[in-house]
Amino acid sequence: LLWARDCTQRVLMGIEVSPSAFASVPPLFVLLWTVLASIVRQPSKAKSRYTQILIGLLSTAAGFALMILAIPPPGQRSSAAWPLACLGLLTIGELFVVPLTQSLINLLAPRGHAGLSHALWYAGTALGLFLAGQLGALWGSLAHPIFFALLAAAPLAAAALLSCQRSYLRIALRRTDPL
């Protein structure tokens, strides 16, 4: 929303669109991507959970990295297509990561501790959102390329950590999900 407020041309057919209107776009993308996925889906070519989560993390990183390209020259504003494309990639990332990580929690949690495992996942999510808010507070003091590079680095770091754990996941999920 900060980008939409400060750096995006928001006039559409003579009507100024508020920055908060961009917040309504991800739910629309969820509906769009879900319908498209159900049409295009090929169950015989299903990818492993690991691959799908990796795709989600890379899509998220790509969404933030895309915004580095969107930075307009001083005194100008960029097209609204840039934040919309970013939101589209972030939504794809969320659709891949959230349900699949929760599915992995169900499969990997010790017997009788699935609830605690999910609670820890939500606590980690809350910490990540808190840290994102702290980074957002630096919007006015960080150069925009550095701001978006930091945002892109977080899912890339998560993808690297996930890749380091691939052999463990392969062993843990041997019966349920080939990695």
Side-chain angles (χ1 to χ4, degrees):
L1 295 179
L2 297 172
W3 177 266
R5 181 194 70 197
D6 297 342
C7 302
T8 303
Q9 182 197 17
R10 296 177 283 115
V11 177
L12 180 65
M13 295 188 286
I15 301 171
E16 185 171 355
V17 178
S18 73
S20 61
F22 285 83
S24 65
V25 172
L28 296 174
F29 278 147
V30 167
L31 294 172
L32 175 68
W33 298 152
T34 304
V35 170
L36 287 175
S38 67
I39 292 169
V40 177
R41 188 174 174 191
Q42 298 174 355
S44 63
K45 296 183 180 183
K47 296 184 178 13
S48 69
R49 285 181 183 94
Y50 166 82
T51 302
Q52 291 179 48
I53 292 171
L54 200 59
I55 289 169
L57 291 170
L58 295 176
S59 175
T60 302
F64 289 126
L66 180 69
M67 294 307 292
I68 295 170
L69 301 173
I71 296 170
Q76 295 183 17
R77 291 180 173 255
S78 66
S79 166
W82 289 103
L84 292 176
C86 173
L87 289 170
L89 288 167
L90 295 180
T91 303
I92 290 170
E94 185 176 357
L95 288 173
F96 273 101
V97 172
V98 174
L100 291 167
T101 53
Q102 292 199 354
S103 170
L104 280 177
I105 289 169
N106 284 336
L107 291 170
L108 297 174
R111 198 171 289 233
H113 291 87
L116 176 62
S117 298
H118 281 284
L120 291 172
W121 185 85
Y122 281 110
T125 301
L127 176 62
L129 291 171
F130 171 77
L131 292 174
Q134 296 303 305
L135 182 60
L138 299 175
W139 172 256
S141 59
L142 281 179
H144 293 161
I146 294 171
F147 181 83
F148 287 115
L150 289 171
L151 288 173
L156 289 176
L161 288 172
L162 179 65
S163 295
C164 291
Q165 296 299 314
R166 185 173 187 186
S167 60
Y168 167 75
L169 289 172
R170 179 178 287 139
I171 293 166
L173 295 171
R174 186 173 290 152
R175 295 183 191 154
T176 60
D177 187 27
L179 288 174

